[in-house]
Amino acid sequence: MKKIITVITICFSFLGLQAQELKSPNGDLEMKFSLQENGTPAYQLFYKGEEVIKTSTLGLELKDDETSLISGFEISDSKTSNFDETWTPVWGETAEIRNHYNELAITLEQTSAERRMIIRFRMFNDGLGFRYEFPQQKNLVYFVIKEEHTQFAMTGDHTAYWLPGDYDSQEYDYTTSKLSEISSKFDEAWVGNASQTQFSKSAVQTSLMMKTEDGIYINLHEAALKEYSLMNLNLDENSLVFESWLTPDALGNKGYLQAPAISPWRTIMVSDGATDILASNITLNLNEPNKIEDTSWIKPMKYVGVWWEMITGKSTWNYTDEYPSVKLGETDFENAEPNGKHGATTEHVKEYIDFAAENGFDGVLVEGWNVGWEDWIGNSKDYVFDFVTPYPDFDVEGIQEYAEAKGVQMIMHHETSSAIRNYERHLDTAYQFMNKYGYPAVKSGYVGDIIPRGEHHYGQWAINHFLYAVKKAADYNIMVNAHEAVRPTGLRRTWPNLIGNESARGTEFQAFGGSKPNHVTILPFTRLIGGPMDYTPGIFEMDISKINPDNNSHVNSTLANQLALYVTMYSPLQMAADLPENYKRFPDAFQFIKDVALDWDESNYLEAEPGEYITVARKAKGTENWFVGNVNGTTPRTSKIKLDFLEDGKKYEATIYADAKDAHYKANPQAYKITKKTVTSKSTLKLTSAPGGGYAISIFEKE
Amino acid sequence: MKKIITVITICFSFLGLQAQELKSPNGDLEMKFSLQENGTPAYQLFYKGEEVIKTSTLGLELKDDETSLISGFEISDSKTSNFDETWTPVWGETAEIRNHYNELAITLEQTSAERRMIIRFRMFNDGLGFRYEFPQQKNLVYFVIKEEHTQFAMTGDHTAYWLPGDYDSQEYDYTTSKLSEISSKFDEAWVGNASQTQFSKSAVQTSLMMKTEDGIYINLHEAALKEYSLMNLNLDENSLVFESWLTPDALGNKGYLQAPAISPWRTIMVSDGATDILASNITLNLNEPNKIEDTSWIKPMKYVGVWWEMITGKSTWNYTDEYPSVKLGETDFENAEPNGKHGATTEHVKEYIDFAAENGFDGVLVEGWNVGWEDWIGNSKDYVFDFVTPYPDFDVEGIQEYAEAKGVQMIMHHETSSAIRNYERHLDTAYQFMNKYGYPAVKSGYVGDIIPRGEHHYGQWAINHFLYAVKKAADYNIMVNAHEAVRPTGLRRTWPNLIGNESARGTEFQAFGGSKPNHVTILPFTRLIGGPMDYTPGIFEMDISKINPDNNSHVNSTLANQLALYVTMYSPLQMAADLPENYKRFPDAFQFIKDVALDWDESNYLEAEPGEYITVARKAKGTENWFVGNVNGTTPRTSKIKLDFLEDGKKYEATIYADAKDAHYKANPQAYKITKKTVTSKSTLKLTSAPGGGYAISIFEKE
């Protein structure tokens, strides 16, 4: 690990400078810090000489505290330093990650209250991060945040790719609009969800992707969100200033801190190249290094599962329809009348294990294996699951033996129904059960309103729980893929057993009415800035009525686009989500899913435009093989890509899975063509993507 | 176990009877059930032909439910039965308890909503119990209680002995007043507490003790409170009708139920003899039988402890004053500067172990042994204790060995600071720690506002937790003594490892300013109706400034009264709470504490008047020995007691510990005299009790 640290300490006198500057290592970005008239801290950001963030104030409003931490400050100290280190993630888009920044830490003193706060800025070549720090001190010990007042003052009415602000759900389609249009389009964006809470018609979620009229890309997010409440962004439509709006608890308070404490990092990525945003490592670099000593049990997984058939409505999670409700430990499941549509049966699971084994998949996920699904949703049920009692038709041990014999691993499912106390009460026994029966990973879910009632998914309380579950899982050598949990903010650097989250609108919504065809060209600019997404792609049958005649939903994507997602939607956990029978209908296309890697030495974002297209090439870890993926929005488009990332002098065989000429995500989604050709580092490919289309390429070194 | 069950089933037609009657086995009590005009259920209670409860309506208001469960009912079924069984408690005031009642179960149907509810009445010779039942049915599955509307319509402006209604604390002095004076005296009653929430100036807590002008005693309480919210009573001052007022959760909802479900029993004890109220077993009889198979590890305990010195302020729970706050796992306690006043040091604890061993005590409680006490209160701190990490000066293993060698057991202390999630996260390891180091019992505490914030001590959420902790303790063969938890309602019959609660204003308040001198003459009529109280009596030094010069509090009790409490304040867990040095000053008086038993074959309440006096005689289990206790209010009083409970023909030696002639709880509390005399079943004793005084008598069979 290369590490160059230079520390330059410059101390300023108490009565001294009111303005400070910080530049990125390459000088393109410059931050100017200042104190406003009343001693309110503020910052301003320039990119290549042009203002990209207007003077924006900082600070926090405290409950029952007249002074708060907003004004009346003086600069009492100022330290600059720089840092340049390359580190190795356990898994990731690249084998190594360079962490290179200049830092400015400003200590602010409130003379009246005799308190101090530090704001630490880190400037990278692709953006700025900053956080608040509350050192241990006499006059700031325990304090309650009423609201954080961090501003991001926009320089113009930018185009934004946004989700409506919500304390409980992220499962929306993106709206692309001007900032000034957000409030008028808010209601249209706000579609129903099992748990959702709006608070302002001009609020949006992070990460927020924007593009200025001048073609500058700006992304706002946070990094290392823990022991704190999640930040939404609320827009003042007159001034076009975003301000942080934290998520409240049941009492309306927005955070309980004990000094010494730190806030999460607020991040601002800036570039004139969209691909720079996608390639940025700011989020990870602002997180603490890996805390897990032995990571040998943490492995990317390609999996199939008993899931899509329930999502489409063909099968059920629940075993019986006989009772209006069930009580764990009391309801007789053994003698209940099976509804005949239960997905998670031993026999059916074995079919999936066979399919996985035949096709080189690592794992099989099974949902609906455990008692409680009869009334799991919409009832605010506390003791909803115990995570260890299977239905009568799910033979835990038999399946374990069968899977082991076939060299396939079982992936556990813990739907919590957001009953957090119940999940924590069962967590140790649930994880022990996984160890005993050989489940190395768990997909957890938090569908429905949080219990304790009054709390929100993104409040400090639930955020503490999500990390608690991940840390405890690490004690059991268990990997966690948490759905409906808080959107990631890079904690996976510190806890690499957090191998995935959904925490956005995933593939399941294609069976719930469909998502916008350009959805997947936005997600990497927004949701994936914080971490990988278990998007569960690979749908080959777009007409859901073919699976369940009562479901008229349509998957708004071509088949080639579905293949591309394995490359464009980065995740160490990748599902081939469709039913095996649909894969069997298109074995040639399925080959790509079998071939694609999960872990990478290099990732080159070749071209990208939010909402329009993303093309990325990735080198499979420890090999000379490459995979390329392109996803396209609603406009047909031809991309010309140079394969100059290949090694000079080598020959490769490229297999190109592309949209057929007349492909279209709605009218003709399954029209694809596969071509093979020999390529070298000098090759160029010209490929046309359909509306909602794309292409996937595997490039294998030729012997 | 004698068991006589007679079941007489009488079915009424759907269009039939609107009125029903139920009498007690001896016929003294009669309940009349009726439906009001709009189909609202109501009951009325008569005692020896006189109305004691006027027609009072019943029902529950449901959230988001137009019909609710209040009106529109018809009687669709009615079943009567009777029950007569004698059962054996694991520990108690008597060796056997007779459970003898007549029952009436009325099924009510709401034709419009197609729903039904059952109200089950059980009439004992000393009172009535009734509860709501919600059978499994199609149209009532999951429902939220907005409010329960159970009325108790008083027949007059009775004298009441009451505590102000509170969602979080029971630690008040009793106010004795007319019902009509409650609201005018509410604010005076409402003294400060670490966690308290008022909601109505005319609300009171249960059990509520009353006396009518005609000398009829009435007590209102609940039995078997679990999976439900606690009932307060709110008085309509015009009609003198009490109505149930449940405790809300963070959202204001008062209960989440899933049919089949039951409410707790609402109990009304009635007698013209005050001692009947004290002797009543209705609360226990309405609870489910014991669920613990092997109860050999459940044993009453007499204990001393490192506690009073901290309560008086002489010592501290915390180890150091060096930090403004501490963080478990981060703060360096090893190298912190000890404050020199830490109570729980190895050396000091060994002194207590020695004292316990020398004097035949079973156990030693130690508070302040574990890290976290530096900032445990008033900070809404979540991760406040881990229940396993001792301070540097508390040698867990050393103390264990020392105690074992001396034949003394250690009693654990778990102050939770009401951080419930934190306690539950550590519960298994905390109990395992107890098993490992030989702690058979734990005193738990819930000081401060409940976390999850917004919940209350007596809401359904916390009530679920309290029982969860007790049930889990049973898995570990651990006895629980829960302070600041919900007041007991007889669950100890089902979970006999719940050996105590404080959940009222205990002896500690004598060091916080003092309690009313007649406090202990009311508590058995109110708080102890639900279960035993760990009152921790035995204070010999009433002038607290002698222990801590900065504390001018005075214990408003004579020494003889303190001895009597071991008999009058029933508890299987009894502490000699004062400092050993104070016991050493009065070894002759201390002898009574050493002699008094903890478990009983028989208990005879000889005479009683709430607020004035209680005299009770109890026979020590498995012996021929008896103990008598009298506590007196503020008026000097002579009691004449017959010892006709002794066995005829036997001689006994009675040692009488009484107030001296000039004793007074304030002016001369330590004036006592001890006399010995031979007594028989024909003896009568005439003893005078001082204001705030009393007497204690040990009666040992003479060889």
Side-chain angles (χ1 to χ4, degrees):
Chain A
M1 221 192 290
K2 251 182 3 170
K3 197 172 187 149
I4 306 166
I5 305 173
T6 316
V7 178
I8 304 163
T9 305
I10 306 169
C11 291
F12 290 87
S13 73
F14 195 80
L15 301 167
L17 240 54
Q18 296 299 302
Q20 307 273 328
E21 284 161 20
L22 179 67
K23 283 187 170 157
S24 58
N26 68 3
D28 281 354
L29 280 163
E30 182 177 9
M31 188 277 296
K32 291 188 178 168
F33 176 86
S34 60
L35 284 181
Q36 305 290 282
E37 274 177 19
N38 56 354
T40 298
Y43 74 102
Q44 195 186 11
L45 192 62
F46 296 85
Y47 177 66
K48 292 182 176 172
E50 298 296 318
E51 195 186 36
V52 285
I53 306 275
K54 299 202 298 192
T55 300
S56 306
T57 53
L58 301 165
L60 294 97
E61 190 183 348
L62 306 185
K63 193 179 180 214
D64 299 328
D65 186 309
E66 281 180 21
T67 331
S68 264
L69 292 169
I70 292 178
S71 57
F73 284 110
E74 291 184 28
I75 298 175
S76 72
D77 195 13
S78 171
K79 284 191 177 65
T80 61
S81 60
N82 48 52
F83 188 87
D84 194 349
E85 171 195 279
T86 302
W87 57 279
T88 306
V90 175
W91 44 262
E93 296 187 67
T94 58
E96 290 190 332
I97 293 176
R98 185 181 184 194
N99 187 6
H100 188 200
Y101 59 82
N102 291 329
E103 177 176 297
L104 172 63
I106 299 177
T107 304
L108 299 166
E109 296 256 1
Q110 272 177 333
T111 346
S112 60
E114 283 182 67
R115 289 194 301 214
R116 67 186 189 286
M117 175 171 84
I118 295 171
I119 306 183
R120 188 177 304 271
F121 296 88
R122 285 186 185 166
M123 190 72 90
F124 302 80
N125 284 337
D126 47 358
L128 172 70
F130 62 86
R131 73 177 180 196
Y132 302 94
E133 300 180 2
F134 313 96
Q136 186 160 17
Q137 55 190 292
K138 194 163 72 79
N139 290 333
L140 192 68
V141 187
Y142 283 93
F143 55 107
V144 177
I145 299 175
K146 193 173 169 194
E147 185 62 273
E148 181 182 325
H149 292 284
T150 300
Q151 288 185 342
F152 306 86
M154 299 295 102
T155 55
D157 197 6
H158 308 326
T159 299
Y161 310 82
W162 56 272
L163 300 182
D166 190 337
Y167 293 149
D168 281 289
S169 173
Q170 298 144 133
E171 292 178 338
Y172 300 97
D173 256 316
Y174 282 89
T175 301
T176 302
S177 79
K178 296 283 189 194
L179 293 177
S180 60
E181 295 175 299
I182 288 174
S183 63
S184 62
K185 292 182 179 292
F186 188 96
D187 288 339
E188 186 185 333
W190 187 265
V191 297
N193 193 283
S195 178
Q196 53 183 169
T197 311
Q198 66 178 254
F199 50 92
S200 159
K201 300 287 189 189
S202 60
V204 298
Q205 309 195 17
T206 74
S207 77
L208 176 68
M209 188 66 209
M210 290 174 287
K211 183 178 182 182
T212 75
E213 265 182 13
D214 302 326
I216 306 299
Y217 297 91
I218 301 172
N219 183 291
L220 306 180
H221 195 34
E222 51 180 321
L225 169 57
K226 53 183 177 159
E227 301 305 339
Y228 205 83
S229 152
L230 176 136
M231 175 181 77
N232 302 278
L233 296 173
N234 191 42
L235 181 70
D236 178 325
E237 295 180 302
N238 295 323
S239 59
L240 294 180
V241 174
F242 277 112
E243 193 164 296
S244 55
W245 181 305
L246 301 183
T247 307
D249 76 348
L251 299 178
N253 296 325
K254 299 204 169 192
Y256 300 85
L257 297 189
Q258 174 193 357
I262 52 178
S263 75
W265 294 91
R266 280 76 185 81
T267 60
I268 306 169
M269 293 171 196
V270 183
S271 180
D272 44 23
T275 53
D276 292 336
I277 305 293
L278 297 176
S280 177
N281 280 307
I282 285 180
T283 308
L284 284 172
N285 281 329
L286 288 172
N287 272 268
E288 293 179 288
N290 174 24
K291 280 193 153 91
I292 299 177
E293 226 178 275
D294 167 24
T295 59
S296 60
W297 49 275
I298 301 175
K299 300 185 179 113
M301 293 183 79
K302 197 182 293 181
Y303 69 104
V304 292
V306 178
W307 173 71
W308 190 240
E309 57 191 273
M310 284 96 78
I311 289 289
T312 54
K314 173 185 178 187
S315 307
T316 64
W317 284 271
N318 57 301
Y319 172 75
T320 179
D321 297 330
E322 192 176 333
Y323 311 117
S325 73
V326 299
K327 291 192 176 186
L328 303 193
E330 293 175 40
T331 299
D332 179 6
F333 285 100
E334 285 296 324
N335 296 309
E337 171 116 18
N339 64 12
K341 298 189 299 170
H342 184 219
T345 66
T346 302
E347 187 186 329
H348 193 49
V349 170
K350 284 181 175 174
E351 288 168 8
Y352 271 82
I353 292 171
D354 289 341
F355 182 76
E358 284 154 14
N359 292 288
F361 282 77
D362 302 300
V364 173
L365 164 76
V366 180
E367 296 200 3
W369 66 274
N370 56 327
V371 299
W373 286 95
E374 282 65 25
D375 59 357
W376 70 288
I377 189 172
N379 293 314
S380 192
K381 188 175 185 182
D382 199 340
Y383 184 25
V384 58
F385 290 108
D386 67 11
F387 313 98
V388 296
T389 307
Y391 278 120
D393 57 355
F394 185 87
D395 177 8
V396 178
E397 288 186 12
I399 284 166
Q400 175 191 20
E401 284 166 24
Y402 194 82
E404 266 174 35
K406 295 261 176 170
V408 167
Q409 294 188 299
M410 297 304 298
I411 297 177
M412 172 54 66
H413 182 231
H414 289 166
E415 176 54 59
T416 73
S417 296
S418 294
I420 285 181
R421 173 171 71 174
N422 179 64
Y423 190 35
E424 289 198 11
R425 283 179 172 178
H426 292 91
L427 206 49
D428 279 287
T429 49
Y431 286 161
Q432 286 157 13
F433 184 92
M434 285 178 64
N435 282 170
K436 178 173 182 186
Y437 294 109
Y439 289 71
V442 57
K443 167 183 172 181
S444 58
Y446 295 87
V447 174
D449 288 338
I450 294 288
I451 303 176
R453 301 173 186 95
E455 288 293 332
H456 295 290
H457 281 76
Y458 314 138
Q460 185 184 15
W461 184 264
I463 280 166
N464 171 294
H465 161 75
F466 297 134
L467 184 57
Y468 176 79
V470 168
K471 288 184 182 178
K472 189 179 272 289
D475 291 342
Y476 287 90
N477 286 11
I478 282 170
M479 299 183 277
V480 174
N481 167 27
H483 284 220
E484 296 90 26
V486 68
R487 44 190 165 276
T489 57
L491 292 177
R492 80 186 201 269
R493 177 180 179 188
T494 320
W495 299 98
N497 65 316
L498 176 58
I499 53 168
N501 291 100
E502 184 192 48
S503 306
R505 188 181 178 90
T507 293
E508 65 194 7
F509 279 85
Q510 300 281 31
F512 299 161
S515 294
K516 291 182 182 172
N518 73 340
H519 186 52
V520 298
T521 67
I522 298 177
L523 277 173
F525 283 102
T526 52
R527 163 60 182 77
L528 275 75
I529 292 298
M533 179 173 176
D534 184 35
Y535 188 72
T536 66
I539 304 302
F540 281 13
E541 178 50 73
M542 309 328 183
D543 179 357
I544 302 304
S545 71
K546 296 224 171 85
I547 296 173
N548 172 15
D550 294 329
N551 186 340
N552 285 321
S553 200
H554 182 88
V555 180
N556 293 326
S557 158
T558 66
L559 199 147
N561 177 299
Q562 288 292 312
L563 298 180
L565 290 170
Y566 289 91
V567 189
T568 66
M569 204 74 83
Y570 170 65
S571 178
L573 197 66
Q574 292 283 13
M575 185 178 192
D578 210 333
L579 313 180
E581 56 243 43
N582 288 324
Y583 293 130
K584 288 172 182 169
R585 288 163 54 203
F586 307 97
D588 53 353
F590 188 53
Q591 186 61 41
F592 181 81
I593 300 179
K594 292 170 67 171
D595 288 342
V596 74
L598 304 170
D599 207 12
W600 311 101
D601 274 339
E602 289 179 51
S603 291
N604 299 347
Y605 286 91
L606 304 179
E607 53 172 14
E609 182 61 32
E612 306 290 333
Y613 54 89
I614 296 173
T615 310
V616 58
R618 305 187 194 270
K619 180 157 170 289
K621 190 170 241 163
T623 75
E624 290 304 316
N625 303 325
W626 287 80
F627 293 84
V628 181
N630 162 275
V631 286
N632 193 44
T634 45
T635 310
R637 180 177 173 274
T638 300
S639 57
K640 252 171 97 161
I641 53 168
K642 292 190 197 175
L643 303 187
D644 52 1
F645 46 81
L646 299 176
E647 195 176 326
D648 289 335
K650 283 201 158 134
K651 283 201 168 120
Y652 302 80
E653 169 153 286
T655 308
I656 305 163
Y657 307 74
D659 291 322
K661 225 160 153 208
D662 55 348
H664 184 279
Y665 73 87
K666 191 70 198 271
N668 197 14
Q670 285 163 332
Y672 64 92
K673 63 180 197 287
I674 301 175
T675 45
K676 283 190 185 308
K677 63 189 342 177
T678 302
V679 297
T680 70
S681 64
K682 307 232 179 301
S683 306
T684 306
L685 296 177
K686 197 166 130 182
L687 297 158
T688 303
S689 304
Y695 54 82
I697 312 174
S698 61
I699 304 179
F700 287 109
E701 193 186 8
K702 270 181 117 121
E703 297 310 313
Chain B
M1 215 190 293
K2 248 182 8 172
K3 197 172 186 152
I4 306 165
I5 305 173
T6 317
V7 177
I8 304 164
T9 306
I10 304 170
C11 290
F12 291 87
S13 73
F14 195 82
L15 300 166
L17 237 55
Q18 297 299 304
Q20 306 273 329
E21 284 160 19
L22 180 66
K23 284 188 169 157
S24 57
N26 67 3
D28 281 354
L29 281 164
E30 182 176 10
M31 187 277 297
K32 289 188 178 167
F33 175 87
S34 61
L35 284 182
Q36 305 289 283
E37 272 177 20
N38 56 354
T40 297
Y43 73 101
Q44 195 185 10
L45 192 62
F46 297 83
Y47 176 66
K48 293 182 176 171
E50 297 296 318
E51 194 185 37
V52 286
I53 306 274
K54 299 202 296 189
T55 301
S56 306
T57 54
L58 301 165
L60 295 96
E61 190 182 350
L62 305 185
K63 191 177 183 217
D64 299 330
D65 185 311
E66 283 181 21
T67 332
S68 265
L69 292 169
I70 292 179
S71 56
F73 284 109
E74 292 183 28
I75 299 175
S76 71
D77 194 14
S78 171
K79 284 191 176 66
T80 61
S81 59
N82 48 51
F83 188 86
D84 194 350
E85 170 195 277
T86 301
W87 57 279
T88 308
V90 174
W91 43 263
E93 299 186 65
T94 57
E96 289 189 335
I97 293 176
R98 185 180 185 194
N99 186 6
H100 188 201
Y101 60 82
N102 291 329
E103 176 176 297
L104 173 61
I106 298 177
T107 304
L108 300 166
E109 297 256 1
Q110 272 177 334
T111 347
S112 61
E114 285 181 64
R115 291 194 299 213
R116 67 186 190 286
M117 175 172 83
I118 296 170
I119 306 182
R120 189 177 303 273
F121 296 88
R122 287 187 183 165
M123 190 73 88
F124 302 80
N125 284 337
D126 48 357
L128 172 69
F130 61 87
R131 73 177 181 195
Y132 301 94
E133 301 180 2
F134 313 95
Q136 184 160 18
Q137 55 191 291
K138 195 164 73 80
N139 290 333
L140 193 68
V141 187
Y142 284 92
F143 54 107
V144 177
I145 299 174
K146 192 170 168 194
E147 185 63 275
E148 182 182 325
H149 292 285
T150 299
Q151 289 185 342
F152 305 86
M154 299 294 104
T155 55
D157 196 5
H158 308 328
T159 298
Y161 310 83
W162 56 272
L163 299 182
D166 190 340
Y167 293 149
D168 280 288
S169 174
Q170 299 143 133
E171 293 177 338
Y172 301 96
D173 257 313
Y174 283 89
T175 301
T176 303
S177 79
K178 294 282 185 196
L179 294 176
S180 60
E181 294 175 299
I182 288 174
S183 62
S184 62
K185 292 183 180 292
F186 188 96
D187 287 340
E188 187 186 332
W190 187 264
V191 296
N193 193 281
S195 178
Q196 53 184 169
T197 311
Q198 65 178 253
F199 49 92
S200 160
K201 302 285 191 188
S202 60
V204 298
Q205 309 194 16
T206 74
S207 76
L208 176 69
M209 188 66 211
M210 290 175 287
K211 183 178 182 183
T212 75
E213 265 183 14
D214 303 324
I216 304 300
Y217 298 91
I218 300 173
N219 183 292
L220 305 179
H221 195 36
E222 55 180 318
L225 169 58
K226 55 181 178 165
E227 301 306 339
Y228 205 84
S229 154
L230 176 137
M231 174 182 76
N232 302 278
L233 295 173
N234 192 44
L235 181 70
D236 177 326
E237 295 179 303
N238 296 322
S239 59
L240 294 179
V241 173
F242 277 112
E243 193 163 297
S244 54
W245 181 304
L246 301 182
T247 306
D249 77 345
L251 299 179
N253 297 324
K254 301 205 169 190
Y256 300 86
L257 297 189
Q258 175 194 356
I262 52 178
S263 74
W265 296 91
R266 281 73 186 82
T267 60
I268 306 168
M269 294 172 195
V270 183
S271 181
D272 44 23
T275 53
D276 292 336
I277 305 293
L278 296 176
S280 177
N281 281 307
I282 284 179
T283 308
L284 284 173
N285 280 328
L286 287 172
N287 272 267
E288 294 180 287
N290 174 22
K291 279 192 153 93
I292 299 178
E293 227 178 276
D294 166 25
T295 59
S296 59
W297 49 274
I298 301 175
K299 301 186 179 111
M301 292 182 80
K302 196 183 292 181
Y303 69 104
V304 292
V306 178
W307 173 71
W308 190 240
E309 58 191 270
M310 285 96 79
I311 289 291
T312 54
K314 174 186 176 186
S315 307
T316 64
W317 283 271
N318 56 301
Y319 172 76
T320 179
D321 297 332
E322 191 175 333
Y323 311 117
S325 72
V326 298
K327 289 192 178 188
L328 303 193
E330 291 175 40
T331 299
D332 178 6
F333 287 100
E334 285 296 325
N335 296 308
E337 170 117 18
N339 64 12
K341 299 191 298 171
H342 185 219
T345 65
T346 302
E347 188 187 327
H348 193 49
V349 170
K350 285 181 176 175
E351 289 168 8
Y352 271 81
I353 293 169
D354 289 341
F355 182 77
E358 284 153 16
N359 292 288
F361 281 77
D362 301 300
V364 173
L365 165 76
V366 180
E367 294 199 6
W369 67 275
N370 56 328
V371 299
W373 285 95
E374 281 65 24
D375 57 359
W376 70 288
I377 189 173
N379 293 313
S380 192
K381 188 175 185 181
D382 200 339
Y383 184 24
V384 59
F385 290 109
D386 68 11
F387 313 98
V388 296
T389 306
Y391 279 120
D393 57 357
F394 185 87
D395 177 8
V396 177
E397 287 187 13
I399 285 167
Q400 175 191 19
E401 284 167 23
Y402 195 83
E404 267 175 34
K406 295 262 177 170
V408 167
Q409 293 188 302
M410 297 304 298
I411 296 177
M412 173 52 68
H413 182 231
H414 288 167
E415 175 54 58
T416 71
S417 296
S418 295
I420 285 180
R421 171 171 73 175
N422 180 63
Y423 190 36
E424 288 198 11
R425 284 179 172 178
H426 292 92
L427 206 48
D428 279 286
T429 49
Y431 286 162
Q432 285 156 15
F433 183 93
M434 285 178 62
N435 283 169
K436 179 173 179 184
Y437 294 109
Y439 289 71
V442 57
K443 167 183 172 178
S444 59
Y446 295 88
V447 174
D449 288 338
I450 294 289
I451 305 177
R453 301 170 185 98
E455 288 294 332
H456 295 290
H457 281 75
Y458 314 138
Q460 185 182 14
W461 184 264
I463 280 166
N464 170 292
H465 162 75
F466 298 133
L467 185 56
Y468 177 79
V470 168
K471 286 184 183 178
K472 189 179 274 290
D475 291 341
Y476 287 90
N477 287 11
I478 282 170
M479 298 183 279
V480 174
N481 167 26
H483 283 220
E484 297 90 24
V486 67
R487 45 191 163 276
T489 56
L491 292 176
R492 80 187 201 269
R493 176 180 181 188
T494 320
W495 299 98
N497 65 316
L498 176 58
I499 52 168
N501 291 102
E502 186 192 47
S503 307
R505 189 180 178 91
T507 293
E508 63 194 10
F509 278 85
Q510 301 280 31
F512 298 161
S515 295
K516 291 182 182 172
N518 73 341
H519 186 52
V520 297
T521 67
I522 298 178
L523 278 173
F525 283 102
T526 51
R527 163 62 182 76
L528 275 77
I529 292 298
M533 179 173 175
D534 183 36
Y535 188 72
T536 67
I539 304 302
F540 280 14
E541 177 51 71
M542 308 330 184
D543 179 357
I544 301 305
S545 71
K546 295 225 171 82
I547 296 174
N548 172 14
D550 295 330
N551 186 341
N552 285 322
S553 200
H554 182 87
V555 180
N556 293 326
S557 158
T558 66
L559 199 147
N561 175 300
Q562 289 290 315
L563 298 180
L565 289 171
Y566 288 91
V567 189
T568 65
M569 203 74 84
Y570 170 65
S571 177
L573 197 66
Q574 291 283 14
M575 186 179 192
D578 210 332
L579 313 180
E581 55 244 44
N582 288 325
Y583 293 129
K584 289 172 182 169
R585 288 162 55 200
F586 308 97
D588 52 353
F590 188 56
Q591 187 62 40
F592 181 81
I593 300 179
K594 292 170 66 170
D595 289 341
V596 74
L598 304 170
D599 206 13
W600 312 101
D601 274 338
E602 290 178 50
S603 291
N604 299 349
Y605 287 89
L606 304 177
E607 52 175 12
E609 183 62 32
E612 306 290 333
Y613 55 88
I614 297 173
T615 310
V616 57
R618 305 189 195 268
K619 181 160 170 285
K621 192 170 239 165
T623 75
E624 292 301 319
N625 303 326
W626 286 80
F627 293 84
V628 181
N630 161 276
V631 286
N632 194 44
T634 46
T635 310
R637 180 176 173 275
T638 299
S639 55
K640 250 169 100 166
I641 53 169
K642 291 190 197 172
L643 302 187
D644 53 2
F645 46 81
L646 300 176
E647 196 177 326
D648 291 333
K650 284 199 159 138
K651 281 200 170 120
Y652 301 81
E653 170 153 284
T655 309
I656 304 164
Y657 306 74
D659 292 320
K661 224 161 150 209
D662 56 347
H664 185 280
Y665 73 87
K666 190 72 200 269
N668 197 14
Q670 286 164 333
Y672 63 92
K673 63 182 194 292
I674 301 175
T675 45
K676 284 189 189 300
K677 59 186 350 174
T678 302
V679 296
T680 69
S681 63
K682 307 233 180 298
S683 307
T684 305
L685 297 177
K686 196 167 131 184
L687 297 159
T688 302
S689 304
Y695 53 82
I697 313 174
S698 61
I699 305 178
F700 288 107
E701 193 186 7
K702 275 179 114 122
E703 295 313 311

